[in-house]
Amino acid sequence: MILRARTLITMRGAPLENAAVVVREGRIAACGPVAEIEARHGPVELDLGEQVLLPGLINAHCHLDYTMMRKSIRAPRRFTDWIRRINSLKRTLHLEDYHQAVETGLREARRWGTTGVLNIESYPELLLRLAPPRLRVWWFYEMIDLRHPVLTDELAAGALSFFEQHEGWHGGFGLSPHAPYTASAELYRAARECAAAMKMPITTHLAESSEETTMFRERSGPLFEFLESLGRDMRDCGGGASALGRLIDDGALAPDTLLVHLNELGEDDLARLSSPPWRGRAQV
């Protein structure tokens, strides 16, 4: 198959005008100006006209489960209020709602040119209901031990049951300790060990809000008070250290972890991330 478009974006150098792509057995075999491609490979078979042709987009972090929450949450004054609102909405939903949300999210992603998705999956049982997605989806098993500890053996068993039934899906599977305020350092270490043993990627939310920063560095603020009221062990808070610093010092965070958000990094955090073994690693 040879496709022609007004503009071709190859991600290598400047866009090509009036260009074509040769696709063989599902792979790109060649690309370049139309005249060169036709001279070497034959005539164009599909002319896309005035369209721009580019590689599929990659959404490096999303929550397909929550597609149905669009426009359900007004911009809050505080991060803690946003968490409360999400938790309130989740109490009104059922597994079928989340199933429909994932299907809707996948359709929308494909419609707008996204071909790769890294999804945080809060309800892994949904995968038993889904047909193999046409997109490349990496499903990251979300883990929280806010109220109950998760043992390493339990984590490994849960991960195995989550993954082994879905061989052949495009993409893959990984682990996601949710965030330092909902996942303990012990859970991070267990996830790191499990991911390394099973050769899986790992991702986490980090430095997402100023309230998270205040909670860990100063042992105060709305998020601290909210989580303390839920019974979270708050002994990891206070003393000036950030959540990132604590996780690294505890050996809980692997350098190849995909870090998401990073909105509230201090100078000490930036220094850590710009030094080996973190320098040059992926962050979102």
Side-chain angles (χ1 to χ4, degrees), residues 12-80:
R12 293 183 178 180
L16 303 177
E17 298 301 322
N18 191 28
V21 175
V22 180
V23 180
R24 290 176 179 161
E25 297 181 354
R27 293 182 176 275
I28 295 175
C31 62
V34 168
E36 293 182 9
I37 292 297
E38 290 191 320
R40 296 179 181 179
H41 302 278
V44 168
E45 298 170 69
L46 177 60
D47 192 328
L48 300 176
E50 294 299 295
Q51 302 295 318
V52 176
L53 184 61
L54 72 162
L57 302 175
I58 297 175
N59 186 334
H61 178 80
C62 71
H63 294 258
L64 292 173
D65 294 351
Y66 302 151
T67 303
M68 88 291 281
M69 292 187 184
R70 184 181 296 134
K71 298 182 180 181
S72 297
I73 303 176
R74 295 180 180 177
R77 293 178 55 193
R78 302 188 306 183
F79 179 67
T80 304

Side-chain angles (χ1 to χ4, degrees), residues 38-166:
E38 290 191 320
R40 296 179 181 179
H41 302 278
V44 168
E45 298 170 69
L46 177 60
D47 192 328
L48 300 176
E50 294 299 295
Q51 302 295 318
V52 176
L53 184 61
L54 72 162
L57 302 175
I58 297 175
N59 186 334
H61 178 80
C62 71
H63 294 258
L64 292 173
D65 294 351
Y66 302 151
T67 303
M68 88 291 281
M69 292 187 184
R70 184 181 296 134
K71 298 182 180 181
S72 297
I73 303 176
R74 295 180 180 177
R77 293 178 55 193
R78 302 188 306 183
F79 179 67
T80 304
D81 294 336
W82 179 75
I83 292 176
R84 291 179 187 273
R85 177 57 178 159
I86 285 183
N87 289 341
S88 176
L89 285 171
K90 288 170 68 174
R91 286 192 289 271
T92 69
L93 300 172
H94 304 283
L95 194 62
E96 183 57 34
D97 297 315
Y98 293 112
H99 180 199
Q100 293 179 12
V102 171
E103 295 281 15
T104 299
L106 289 173
R107 285 196 300 271
E108 290 183 356
R110 186 166 177 264
R111 177 186 177 190
W112 294 106
T114 299
T115 58
V117 175
L118 278 63
N119 177 57
I120 309 300
E121 186 49 61
S122 303
Y123 303 95
E125 58 269 33
L126 287 175
L127 273 69
L128 300 175
R129 298 176 173 226
L130 293 174
R134 299 180 67 179
L135 306 183
R136 291 181 177 87
V137 183
W138 288 85
W139 305 87
F140 287 85
Y141 181 22
E142 184 175 64
M143 296 172 293
I144 294 174
D145 64 348
L146 183 61
R147 292 189 175 93
H148 305 289
V150 177
L151 302 178
T152 304
D153 289 345
E154 293 175 346
L155 174 62
L160 283 169
S161 63
F162 178 62
F163 305 129
E164 63 187 3
Q165 301 178 46
H166 299 90

